[in-house]
Amino acid sequence: MHHNGNEEGDDAIAIAARDDIDAFAPLYERYAGPIYRWMYRETGDVDAANDLTAQVFAQALQNLHRYQPRQSSSFRSWLFTIARNLLRDSWRRYRPTSLPLHLVDHRPGPEDLAIHRTEMDEIRATFALLPERQREIVELRLSGLSIREIAEIQGTSESAVKMAQTRAFKTLRAHLNEGVVR
Amino acid sequence: MTDHELNELKHRVEGAHRAFPGAYAPAADVWQRARSQVSSNQKREEPIMSMTPTYSIPSTAGRINTGRNSNGLSRFVSMAATLAIVGVLAFGGWFAATNLPPNDGQQLALVQATPTAAMSCDVESLTVDEVMLIVKNPYAYFTTYVDSITHPQKELFELPYRPTAFEFEMGERTKPAEDDFNAALAAAETYLDCLPTATWGQLWALSDPFWVQYRILTQFPVFATEAEVEQYVTSTIDQPLATDHNPVDDVFALLEGQSISVNPDIDDAKTIWPGGWSGSLQPIIEFGIQVTDDSGQIVVKIDSEGNYEEWQPGSSRQRPRILVGQSMTSGEWFVIPWSASFWMGLEY
């Protein structure tokens, strides 16, 4: 795998953080946002998303000694695997609250806020139409992961990820508003 | 998908997050919350059972040596009627309101409280080694039943670790072929007859290996060591299904004075998901169920789409269905239990 600068830096930070938790802070700054937003899209709830994000990083910190930098893997894929597993494990506690497309929430409030709230609902409801694996691929792509990293996380081949991604975007194109995913 | 499409979607999604208070970045205290959860004494040196492909699974050759896998494909085709496996779809839960505990929103599986004489379970339990093999790679488990794999996605069977990947595509629902219907029906009936008296090992033997993997791994926090999983499997495999833990989703509902069976009308069954299930099961046949009272009268009868053909006042208004799939490699029929947590991509 061709690591970019960030990924090489990730490994060094992760190794240093085994003995000094505070050394992990740059990795938190780098990845907390994408993970939080993924959790938010899955749960539709700020508190749940914050809680899950905290758990992801707590799990990562607790298991740093298990992370072994390898040529075929990356810290990022390892971290997002934790997020994915925790999300699955927490599913029953944080049941999604997104609505079907025809029941999109039009709660009152500033007009622009209402518009974006509807947009978020639409995004979440559309993602919910995807089978789990396809949705994971979309979420991980949105979080910046490569096809190869996703294949590592899902334990499958890159070609299988590409195929599932193609199917996922076909579904998204069919359901999201025109101009969103052309 | 092009990079442009991905970027366009990213742009829209990020915009939606930024526009909604609290939806873009975690709260300021999240890092401290994570940090405070870390305890130095929680480090463990054992390998972990996670969804990461970090495992080298033991060679299946010579390790699993039960009667179930000794004769390859032909044996399992012939075993379809006797070892066939069925899934109970408690989609939305279903119960006879007067007999069951309050529905708090969890899924309910139907099992008769008092098994009839005809209800017994002589299905051979999986061994601990077989269950562990499933946990590590359900695909590898399939390969123990065949001499050679000609599956179009052969690579899936050879990966060192295969995480759960539930994948299917919707498609036209069609009437099943008669042979498939008969084999799947026998499997469904075996499963329902087994549930009241089965052990977990028997239940796992009747269930889709992907579901077995999922069900076992979700008993743990995010990480579990192989030793912990094996300990759980060893301690559970011979236990009867507890009344507070059903195979579907944690609530084991009991029916008193009523009998549950598979809707036996071929016109009420449908073959679904023409692309198969997770690259492993095809065809998939969905059945409705029927419930009869003490007098033998059918009080509820549901087709594979959840439509009522019979419904007596006072009976359930839920719509359980049973899903059965045939291994594309071994020919064996397996249950695909249906639960909200298993069907993560659908339950919205």
Side-chain angles (χ1 to χ4, degrees), chain B residues 252-272:
Chain B
F252 207 158
L254 303 179
L255 282 181
E256 296 282 358
Q258 293 180 320
S259 299
I260 311 160
S261 58
V262 186
N263 181 335
D265 293 344
I266 190 169
D267 289 333
D268 288 343
K270 287 287 186 295
T271 298
I272 64 173

Side-chain angles (χ1 to χ4, degrees), chain B residues 35-86:
Chain B
R35 202 180 177 290
S36 66
Q37 289 181 38
V38 178
S39 168
S40 60
N41 61 4
Q42 288 183 287
K43 292 186 177 180
R44 291 175 293 194
E45 297 305 323
E46 293 179 78
I48 55 174
M49 299 289 284
S50 74
M51 296 298 185
T52 50
T54 56
Y55 264 86
S56 295
I57 65 168
S59 167
T60 59
R63 182 178 179 188
I64 307 300
N65 186 25
T66 72
R68 300 184 73 218
N69 61 358
S70 57
N71 294 320
L73 178 62
S74 59
R75 171 177 169 80
F76 282 90
V77 171
S78 67
M79 287 174 69
T82 53
L83 248 186
I85 304 166
V86 191

Side-chain angles (χ1 to χ4, degrees), chain B residues 162-196:
Chain B
R162 177 66 188 174
T164 313
F166 314 128
E167 195 167 19
F168 65 95
E169 288 192 17
M170 304 302 284
E172 185 182 1
R173 303 167 66 91
T174 57
K175 184 176 178 178
E178 190 166 346
D179 286 350
D180 288 339
F181 172 81
N182 289 333
L185 176 62
E189 290 173 338
T190 298
Y191 183 80
L192 285 184
D193 285 351
C194 262
L195 276 182

Side-chain angles (χ1 to χ4, degrees), chain A residues 159-174:
Chain A
S159 60
V161 173
K162 287 178 184 173
M163 186 178 299
Q165 178 182 266
T166 299
R167 291 172 177 165
F169 270 78
K170 183 179 177 184
T171 302
L172 294 179
R173 280 189 207 102

Side-chain angles (χ1 to χ4, degrees), chain B residues 128-139:
Chain B
V128 172
D129 281 349
E130 285 172 320
V131 177
M132 292 302 292
L133 183 61
I134 289 173
V135 171
K136 293 170 182 172
N137 182 348
Y139 282 106

Side-chain angles (χ1 to χ4, degrees), chain B:
Chain B
M1 184 200 67
T2 64
D3 288 344
H4 174 72
E5 286 178 312
L6 179 61
N7 288 334
E8 201 170 5
L9 181 62
K10 270 185 184 175
H11 180 73
R12 176 174 175 179
V13 170
E14 297 261 318
H17 277 283
R18 288 181 188 279
F20 198 69
Y24 187 77
D29 67 341
V30 167
W31 167 242
Q32 284 305 320
R33 287 165 58 188
R35 202 180 177 290
S36 66
Q37 289 181 38
V38 178
S39 168
S40 60
N41 61 4
Q42 288 183 287
K43 292 186 177 180
R44 291 175 293 194
E45 297 305 323
E46 293 179 78
I48 55 174
M49 299 289 284
S50 74
M51 296 298 185
T52 50
T54 56
Y55 264 86
S56 295
I57 65 168
S59 167
T60 59
R63 182 178 179 188
I64 307 300
N65 186 25
T66 72
R68 300 184 73 218
N69 61 358
S70 57
N71 294 320
L73 178 62
S74 59
R75 171 177 169 80
F76 282 90
V77 171
S78 67
M79 287 174 69
T82 53
L83 248 186
I85 304 166
V86 191
V88 169
L89 307 181
F91 185 61
W94 182 79
F95 58 96
T98 55
N99 295 323
L100 301 179
N103 181 1
D104 62 356
Q106 292 178 295
Q107 308 301 304
L108 300 174
L110 286 175
V111 175
Q112 292 187 208
T114 308
T116 65
M119 284 187 156
S120 61
C121 192
D122 57 2
V123 171
E124 183 180 353
S125 173
L126 293 183
T127 66
V128 172
D129 281 349
E130 285 172 320
V131 177
M132 292 302 292
L133 183 61
I134 289 173
V135 171
K136 293 170 182 172
N137 182 348
Y139 282 106
Y141 176 76
F142 283 119
T143 68
T144 65
Y145 298 108
V146 290
D147 296 328
S148 64
I149 296 295
T150 57
H151 190 280
Q153 291 178 289
K154 185 174 184 294
E155 62 185 270
L156 298 178
F157 296 80
E158 297 176 333
L159 290 168
Y161 184 81
R162 177 66 188 174
T164 313
F166 314 128
E167 195 167 19
F168 65 95
E169 288 192 17
M170 304 302 284
E172 185 182 1
R173 303 167 66 91
T174 57
K175 184 176 178 178
E178 190 166 346
D179 286 350
D180 288 339
F181 172 81
N182 289 333
L185 176 62
E189 290 173 338
T190 298
Y191 183 80
L192 285 184
D193 285 351
C194 262
L195 276 182
T197 58
T199 64
W200 281 100
Q202 289 175 308
L203 179 85
W204 291 332
L206 293 170
S207 300
D208 171 36
F210 286 89
W211 177 80
V212 174
Q213 182 202 47
Y214 171 84
R215 182 63 178 159
I216 291 172
L217 288 181
T218 52
Q219 302 306 305
F220 297 90
V222 176
F223 293 105
T225 66
E226 181 172 356
E228 288 169 340
V229 174
E230 186 160 354
Q231 182 180 34
Y232 168 78
V233 171
T234 302
S235 65
T236 307
I237 196 166
D238 293 326
Q239 297 298 314
L241 307 179
T243 53
D244 60 348
H245 284 87
N246 81 13
V248 179
D249 201 0
D250 295 334
V251 178
F252 207 158
L254 303 179
L255 282 181
E256 296 282 358
Q258 293 180 320
S259 299
I260 311 160
S261 58
V262 186
N263 181 335
D265 293 344
I266 190 169
D267 289 333
D268 288 343
K270 287 287 186 295
T271 298
I272 64 173
W273 307 339
W277 164 253
S278 294
S280 60
L281 302 180
Q282 190 181 38
I284 312 290
I285 298 177
E286 187 172 20
F287 296 91
I289 58 92
Q290 62 185 22
V291 177
T292 54
D293 63 16
D294 284 342
S295 68
Q297 181 185 12
I298 295 175
V299 294
V300 176
K301 187 175 183 181
I302 300 163
D303 70 13
S304 69
E305 295 178 309
N307 302 311
Y308 288 113
E309 297 191 348
E310 295 285 346
W311 180 75
Q312 299 297 320
S315 300
S316 165
R317 283 191 177 277
Q318 308 299 317
R319 299 175 172 85
R321 282 158 278 170
I322 298 175
L323 203 61
V324 190
Q326 186 179 30
S327 165
M328 295 164 72
T329 51
S330 71
E332 190 174 8
W333 290 85
F334 289 93
V335 170
I336 307 175
W338 185 302
S339 74
S341 49
F342 189 60
W343 290 84
M344 291 170 60
L346 295 179
E347 282 293 299
Y348 275 76

Side-chain angles (χ1 to χ4, degrees), chain A residues 14 26 36 44 46 60 78 80 87 116 122 143 146 157 181:
Chain A
Y36 174 78
V46 168
W78 182 79
F80 277 82
L87 190 61
H116 287 292
E122 184 176 357
S143 298
S146 68
S157 65
V181 182

